[in-house]
Structure formats: structure tokens, C-alpha cells
Amino acid sequence: MLDQFTFIGVFLIVALVFGIAPPVLGYLVRPRKPSPRKAQVYECGMPTHGKTWVQFKAQYYNFALAFIVFDVVAAFLLPWALAYNALGLYATVEAIAFILILLGGLVYVWRKGALEWM
Amino acid sequence: MEFLKNLIVNVGLWFQGLLASTSLPETWVLAITRAAGALALALVPLVTIFFFIWYERKIVARIGSRLGPNNSGAYGGPWGIFQVFADAIKMFTKEDVIPAGADRWVFNVAPMLTLAIAVMIWAVLPLGKGLIGIDLNIGIFYLLSLGSGSIVTVVMAGWGSNNKYALLAAFRSIATLISYEIPKALSVLVVVMLAGSLSMQDIVAAQDVAFLLALPLTAFLFLAATLSELGRRPFDLVEADSEIVAGYFVEYSGIKFGMFYVAQFMNQLAAAAIFSTLFLGGWRGPWVDQVPVLSTLWLTAKILLSVLIIQFFQYTLPRLRIDQVLAFNWKFLTPLALVNVCAVALAGKTVPASAGPLTQAGISLGANVVLTLIVLGILAIAGRQARQREASRLATQ
């Protein structure tokens, strides 16, 4: 188990090296002629109006909340799916009841109009 | 000849033997072998990606009645096969422009992490019989978690650029990316249920019948979610190159843009490999037991086929709006994926656990087909009602 994740650790280091290498290589060969004009933000040729890091639409938050619910659920269901072949009908029906409760939640969110893009 | 039959594994064993014959201690031999293996494995996507991008561009060109890269002066090579190398060299020599006021750390780290995560996927992909970086016992879960990791890099790129377009595009991307994680995770759940394991090699081993035949609806759900995660049409809001240019990485130039570009294709290659592994039987095929090196060729053929399918979706379907994309996921794919889990779970319990894999596959196929027919029926009724509402609305005007 630990041995397996040692390999993942080694692989992570290799992957990070592969991520860092191209900009470093590019740094050695590319030209550098900075100017304030060049560093301007690209926005249809217009100067940016106000701060960039503004508050954003609350709509995204709804989707994020719904996502967290279902993603956690998927993580909960994985052990059940793993043991599925060894489980009896009772455990299966229990898991299905769990999923149906969730579906109820989805229907509630839907009826509340949280899934509409406004 | 015996050496050639299992070429790739034997090269690894030969390398280990070579190290063992020196006077190095055993732990060092193991460590060096592991490190060399990791390096070789990480090189697989980075090298194949060049030819893969060429393959993709050729398909795109053919779909659009064009020739695609065929000759690029001194660099092109036959059929323009070295076009991508020429592009890479060009990107290395382009100036790196960081926009004024950008969050420089976040801005610079985002492409590195994107590429690193795209490489990390390959650690658990079974590339052939007995040929896998590490057969993690939670392999498929590891892949799902990496998928969530790549979402963070999208936020970093959008937030770090100091550009409102990039920021808004990042939010849009995240909204779609996280939404489509759910049907993806739930369709993986069904595969795990049938395979009884999270390990990638076990999932391959469980496919005496390819899961595409046992679970066609699940395969469709997975493919739809994958298309969205890759930012492919009809869900290509992440990029939408003809409208918002490049979305969250609009401010990147030179090699950093190239890294996002390469990471995208790498993710696509990996997604095709994951789809082949989960639904097409992975590296399994005829004569694999006699000549294990064939397994890698079978996998390659399946990957190229999956890419072809993804490409046909990408270049023949129009783009959806953001509200349509999200509605499609939350009002169609997610409930369907949840019901699909229930249907397959219930159907599997109608036969005794001692039944053979063929019976299991048949019963899952039955559940999938029945569910598909029901869904198509509901869609037909809902569509007719919507058309009638629209017609009566027009009539009253």
C-alpha cells in the first residue's frame, strides 16, 4: 500500500519537473522586450473598467452546492458498489432508498428553480 | 523471439537485471528501477501527444473537407507529420507576456500544474498486459480525484490573469466542469459494481464481455460527461474558440499557452484511454496470452477509435448555450445516472450471485435497454408537449 503511493510520489515529482521544464527552457531561448503597452490586458482593445476581481453571480454558488452534495454521495456509494457482488438484496434496496432520497433532493432543487440560469 | 513477445516488460526486467548485477544494494536497485519506470511512463504521453495532435488535426481537416497539415516547408516531413514539432519550436521562441496587474505566482503556476496533472493520469492507466505504472487498488478513484484537481488550475488561470473575460470564462468552465463530474462519477460507479474492484487492471480483467455491450447507456453517460470535461462540442463552453477565443487562458502566450494546449490534448488522449479501459475491454483482444506485446497495440487501436468517436461529436454538432449545457446535465444526465445505478443494481440481484459473467452482462444490458426506451418515451412526450405549448403561444399572439 505504502509502496504503491511511493510510486505515485515519484511520479508526482517527475510530472512536476515536466510541468516546470517548458517555461524554464523557453526562458533560455525566448526574446524579452517588455513594454507597458504589451502588458495591457486584452479586452477587445478597451482599457479595463474598474477592478477585475469583482463579486460574481450567486448562481454559480447554487450549482457548486448541489455538486458537493452529489459528489460526496458518489464517494459514499463507491464502497457499496465495491461490495455489491457480496451483498444481498436487502443492502441493494437500502442503497436504492438512499439514492431515491437524493433524487428527491434533486427534484426539490429543481422545483425551487435553483437550476434555472437567470 | 521470446524476448520480443513481451518486449516492453522484458526491457524493464533487463534494466533491473543490469542494475542488480552491479554491486548496488537491493533497495537502491528497486528505487532506481521505479524512478526510471516513472520517467519512461511520463514520457509516453509527452511523445505520443505530438503524433496524436497530428492525427486529430487530420481528422478535423477531413471532416471539414480540407487536407490538414500536409507540408510545412523544411520541417513538415511526409504528410506534415512533424508539423506539431515545428509548432512547439515556434512556441518556445515566442515572448512571454504577463499582463500588468496579474497575480504573477498564480498566473505562472497554473499552466505547470495543468500539465503536471495531465501527466499524473498516466500513472494508473493499464497500457498492456502486466504493463501499468502502478496498479493502485483505488485506481479509478484516483482518476476521479485528479479530474477535480484540474478544475483548480482553471480557477488559478482565470483568477490570475487580471482579465474579466478570463475570470468569467473560468467561472463558466467551473460551473460546467463540476456539474459533469456527477454523471461521470455515477457511471463509473456502475462499472465498479460490475467489476467489483476499483483497480484498473481488475476492471480490464472483469470484461469477458466488453462493458460497452453490457452497459450501453452507462457508456453514453460517461462519454457525454467526458466530452464536457474535455471542453468538446456540444459542450465546449470552456474554450468556444470562435466566440471567446480561448476562455480562461486568453492572456497566456508563447509556451504557457502551448502547455495548456498540450495538456488539453493529453487529457483527451487519457480520456480516450480511460473510455477504452472502462468500456471497450482495455488491452484485451485476440492472441494477447501468447504475445503479450500485442495488448498495447489493441489498446492503441481502441484509443484511436474512441478519439474518432469524440472527434465526430466535436466537429459535427453545434455548440449549446451555458443554460442549455447546465440544464442538460442537471435535468437529464444526473437523474438518469442516478436511476441507472438503481436499475442495474436491482437487475443484477434478480439472478443468483453464482451466475456466470454472461448472465450478469445480459441482465445489465436488459436493464440499460429498458431504461433507455423509457427515457426516450418520456423525452418524446415532453418534446411533443413543449412543441404544443410553443404552437399555442404563437397562435394566441
Side-chain angles (χ1 to χ4, degrees):
Chain A
M1 187 69 188
L2 195 63
D3 187 42
Q4 288 188 333
F5 280 94
T6 321
F7 183 83
I8 296 289
V10 172
F11 204 73
L12 175 67
I13 293 166
V14 172
L16 282 177
V17 167
F18 278 24
I20 293 167
V24 172
L25 276 177
Y27 181 81
L28 299 175
V29 293
R30 70 190 167 215
R32 265 181 299 281
K33 294 195 188 77
S35 78
R37 276 278 161 100
K38 221 183 261 175
Q40 270 181 358
V41 167
Y42 166 83
E43 197 153 344
C44 291
M46 302 276 225
T48 310
H49 214 285
K51 252 177 66 180
T52 306
W53 293 311
V54 288
Q55 291 182 327
F56 55 90
K57 226 168 113 153
Q59 189 78 44
Y60 293 110
Y61 198 65
N62 283 345
F63 285 106
L65 275 180
F67 157 74
I68 286 178
V69 172
F70 284 96
D71 212 38
V72 169
V73 162
F76 274 147
L77 282 174
L78 271 173
W80 164 75
L82 205 52
Y84 172 74
N85 285 324
L87 291 175
L89 186 63
Y90 180 69
T92 310
V93 171
E94 256 189 353
I96 288 173
F98 180 54
I99 291 172
L100 286 182
I101 293 169
L102 273 170
L103 260 178
L106 185 63
V107 170
Y108 174 76
V109 173
W110 191 341
R111 298 284 292 180
K112 274 279 177 185
L115 299 182
E116 308 301 325
W117 190 259
M118 284 166 290
Chain B
M1 201 56 214
E2 279 305 309
F3 187 81
L4 285 179
K5 274 186 180 171
N6 199 358
L7 182 66
I8 306 169
V9 174
N10 281 341
V11 167
L13 289 177
W14 167 79
F15 182 73
Q16 197 169 5
L18 197 71
L19 280 176
S21 66
T22 61
S23 56
L24 281 169
E26 201 168 323
T27 43
W28 274 96
V29 171
L30 196 65
I32 294 174
T33 321
R34 277 289 167 82
L39 193 64
L41 185 61
L43 277 171
V44 168
L46 283 177
V47 174
T48 47
I49 202 68
F50 283 97
F51 299 100
F52 177 73
I53 294 177
W54 174 83
Y55 171 73
E56 143 125 20
R57 287 181 61 176
K58 277 290 187 191
I59 297 175
V60 181
R62 289 294 167 181
I63 291 175
S65 276
R66 292 181 289 114
L67 282 177
N70 54 353
N71 180 11
S72 49
Y75 310 111
W79 312 291
I81 200 161
F82 297 123
Q83 173 75 51
V84 188
F85 289 94
D87 286 347
I89 293 168
K90 184 196 79 174
M91 276 172 180
F92 269 114
T93 56
K94 288 286 173 191
E95 190 178 352
D96 179 41
V97 180
I98 300 177
D103 195 335
R104 294 179 78 98
W105 252 99
V106 178
F107 183 83
N108 286 324
V109 168
M112 298 177 188
L113 267 187
T114 311
L115 194 63
I117 289 175
V119 173
M120 284 291 283
I121 293 175
W122 291 79
V124 298
L125 287 183
L127 301 176
K129 191 178 164 72
L131 192 66
I132 182 169
I134 190 83
D135 192 15
L136 275 191
N137 52 4
I138 53 161
I140 190 73
F141 194 64
Y142 170 84
L143 288 179
L144 287 177
S145 63
L146 278 186
S148 308
S150 63
I151 294 172
V152 177
T153 63
V154 174
V155 198
M156 289 172 76
W159 188 263
S161 298
N162 187 31
N163 179 333
K164 278 181 182 161
Y165 283 151
L167 187 64
L168 289 176
F171 283 141
R172 268 182 13 154
S173 309
I174 296 154
T176 48
L177 288 178
I178 62 171
S179 300
Y180 280 85
E181 281 276 283
I182 295 160
K184 190 179 172 188
L186 288 173
S187 48
V188 165
L189 199 70
V190 178
V191 171
V192 171
M193 228 155 67
L194 249 65
S197 174
L198 291 167
S199 135
M200 297 296 272
Q201 288 287 42
D202 286 356
I203 290 174
V204 172
Q207 295 185 59
D208 290 329
V209 183
F211 282 160
L212 180 69
L213 298 177
L215 306 162
L217 182 66
T218 317
F220 163 76
L221 286 171
F222 186 83
L223 192 64
T226 303
L227 281 175
S228 167
E229 301 245 310
L230 294 171
R232 298 277 137 186
R233 256 166 300 194
F235 315 113
D236 71 337
L237 294 161
V238 175
E239 197 177 348
D241 32 12
S242 54
E243 287 163 22
I244 54 172
V245 191
Y248 60 90
F249 53 92
V250 64
E251 283 294 346
Y252 286 87
S253 58
I255 192 61
K256 285 183 196 154
F257 165 76
M259 285 158 77
F260 276 113
Y261 184 77
V262 163
Q264 259 185 0
F265 280 99
M266 242 186 230
N267 281 334
Q268 190 181 336
L269 186 60
I274 296 169
F275 183 77
S276 318
T277 306
L278 292 187
F279 293 103
L280 302 181
W283 45 258
R284 290 177 72 143
W287 309 301
V288 162
D289 287 330
Q290 290 91 32
V291 192
V293 78
L294 263 183
S295 59
T296 308
L297 291 182
W298 288 123
L299 182 72
T300 312
K302 284 170 183 174
I303 288 176
L304 292 182
L305 186 71
S306 317
V307 169
L308 204 60
I309 298 170
I310 294 176
Q311 291 306 316
F312 265 105
F313 278 116
Q314 154 87 337
Y315 292 103
T316 53
L317 290 174
R319 179 177 304 134
L320 296 175
R321 283 197 317 264
I322 176 89
D323 60 324
Q324 291 168 332
V325 168
L326 288 172
F328 181 67
N329 176 64
W330 286 103
K331 298 177 181 175
F332 182 70
L333 287 184
T334 304
L336 182 56
L338 284 169
V339 173
N340 184 35
V341 173
C342 298
V344 175
L346 262 187
K349 285 298 167 204
T350 56
V351 289
S354 54
L358 260 174
T359 331
Q360 282 272 343
I363 212 91
S364 312
L365 176 65
N368 267 253
V369 168
V370 168
L371 190 57
T372 311
L373 290 178
I374 293 172
V375 167
L376 286 179
I378 293 174
L379 281 183
I381 293 168
R384 194 178 307 137
Q385 281 173 350
R387 279 194 298 278
Q388 277 168 359
R389 269 202 306 277
E390 186 68 13
S392 63
R393 194 180 62 82
L394 286 175
T396 51
Q397 268 177 357

